[in-house]
Amino acid sequence: MSYFVQLRTFVEVYRCRNISRAAKNLGLSQPAATAHIQTMESVVGKSLFERRHRGVEPSNAAHDLAGQVANHLDAIEQKVASVRTRSSDVSGTITLAGPAEYISYVASAQLANLLQAGNVDVVVLPGNREQIYSALDTGVADMAITASLPDNKIYDYEVLDSEELVLVAHRLLAQSLEGQTITPALLNTLPVVSYDSQLPLIRQYFDTVFKQSCTSKIIARCPDIRALAGIVRTGVGYTVLPDYLCHDDIQSGRLIKLGPQGPENNLYLAWRKGALAHPRLNYARDVLMAFSNINKYAK
């Protein structure tokens, strides 16, 4: 006897840690999902989940079973979805979460290709790291673009693009530093413009390039990297930006690149495990990845 349907439900419950949410994701009623779990418990002869106040906790047997079957089920469903995608028109809505600045400057072109090649609608949810993963976890977003490495126990993902971190300042400030070596000591005498008080990107640049901390006075904070570029363009302070965000300003001379080459970050296209069983998401992944790495500038 085949237990494919029951195993699919088991894997979804295992990943969601919640029977109601898993049932919703699979288009099942909660009693049907519960019955599937009970069937699998009868088959393996062991309890698979223990009910908690807000969901369920997998047993050791559940961990073992998931490890044995989850990836195989995903592979089968993905292949079926791929065949369905090629043999019929793909339609529906795809909701994509991601960083506002990357979507604005780079991913808009990738999304245009997605819209041109099928009968799909796209909803974009810009947000920070916490908002992006929350949208993905709760099913509000189907897929996400993220600059942080996704947890491979929860998500599948592929490298979509990469970004170099660039230390930049207004040309007048750069001219005042001519003839001086760009060191942490020198930079720490200058004001800095940052996303927040934790100095994201700036801290990473200092840690990687200089192996020292940034202690510059923060004169402006703004939780939008695009605005940081605008502030520095006025001649105030320095900052660290992704290359795609400052490339045109550097080419035009509005901003000057300072210091050594910065570190590179990967950007990932991520989705919940098993999500590619849906033909429209399988299709979206294929199109977005076909046009990945478009943000490559001549160095």
Side-chain angles (χ1 to χ4, degrees):
M1 179 177 179
S2 172
Y3 297 102
F4 187 90
V5 174
Q6 290 86 350
L7 281 169
R8 179 73 271 175
T9 302
F10 158 73
V11 169
E12 192 66 20
V13 172
Y14 178 83
R15 288 169 173 166
C16 293
R17 302 295 202 264
N18 187 290
I19 293 178
S20 297
R21 190 184 307 161
K24 181 180 178 181
N25 290 345
L26 295 171
L28 299 172
S29 66
Q30 183 171 339
T34 300
H36 288 177
I37 297 301
Q38 291 171 342
T39 296
M40 292 313 305
E41 288 180 329
S42 297
V43 170
V44 300
K46 295 179 181 179
S47 175
L48 294 173
F49 298 101
E50 181 177 342
R51 289 188 175 274
R52 301 294 190 192
H53 179 61
R54 298 196 175 199
V56 294
E57 183 68 24
S59 66
N60 289 336
H63 290 306
D64 186 19
L65 182 60
Q68 296 284 344
V69 306
N71 289 339
H72 297 293
L73 286 169
D74 290 344
I76 292 169
E77 292 201 327
Q78 185 175 335
K79 289 181 184 300
V80 172
S82 180
V83 172
R84 289 170 61 191
T85 298
R86 291 195 298 270
S87 62
S88 62
D89 291 334
V90 177
S91 63
T93 299
I94 296 166
T95 304
L96 179 73
E101 59 277 358
Y102 182 81
I103 291 173
S104 298
Y105 281 78
V106 180
S108 55
Q110 296 166 323
L111 294 177
N113 288 305
L114 179 59
L115 291 167
Q116 289 170 1
N119 186 27
V120 297
D121 303 318
V122 176
V123 176
V124 176
L125 300 177
N128 58 27
R129 182 183 184 280
E130 290 74 22
Q131 292 166 334
I132 290 169
Y133 279 107
S134 176
L136 203 55
D137 291 341
T138 58
V140 173
D142 299 309
M143 311 184 95
I145 296 172
T146 174
S148 62
L149 182 65
D151 184 345
N152 61 13
K153 294 179 181 178
I154 304 173
Y155 313 104
D156 287 325
Y157 58 88
E158 294 186 48
V159 177
L160 180 69
D161 206 341
S162 63
E163 61 184 14
E164 179 191 331
L165 301 187
V166 183
L167 180 68
V168 295
H170 186 271
R171 59 182 176 81
L172 295 179
L173 177 57
Q175 288 171 2
S176 72
L177 302 176
E178 282 186 4
Q180 301 184 63
T181 301
I182 303 300
T183 65
L186 175 61
L187 291 170
N188 285 334
T189 66
L190 305 173
V192 70
V193 178
S194 178
Y195 188 90
D196 60 33
S197 61
Q198 300 303 309
L199 302 174
L201 302 187
I202 300 163
R203 183 182 67 252
Q204 184 180 353
Y205 183 95
F206 268 69
D207 288 346
T208 303
V209 174
F210 298 126
K211 305 295 189 293
Q212 295 186 38
S213 300
C214 174
T215 59
S216 293
K217 179 182 178 182
I218 303 174
I219 57 168
R221 299 181 182 88
C222 182
D224 189 319
I225 300 175
R226 295 165 295 182
L228 303 185
I231 294 171
V232 175
R233 278 198 299 268
T234 67
V236 177
Y238 73 92
T239 194
V240 172
L241 300 171
D243 54 1
Y244 64 80
L245 198 59
C246 58
H247 176 260
D248 290 346
D249 282 332
I250 291 174
Q251 292 293 102
S252 67
R254 290 189 295 268
L255 293 176
I256 303 297
K257 179 178 179 180
L258 299 177
Q261 181 173 337
E264 284 202 1
N265 288 331
N266 285 332
L267 290 117
Y268 303 91
L269 180 66
W271 54 91
R272 294 185 306 279
K273 284 185 176 293
L276 295 190
H278 300 283
R280 75 181 190 284
L281 300 187
N282 198 348
Y283 161 81
R285 189 283 308 269
D286 289 347
V287 173
L288 291 172
M289 292 307 304
F291 293 93
S292 66
N293 298 317
I294 63 174
N295 176 45
K296 295 299 169 229
Y297 305 121
K299 302 295 184 183

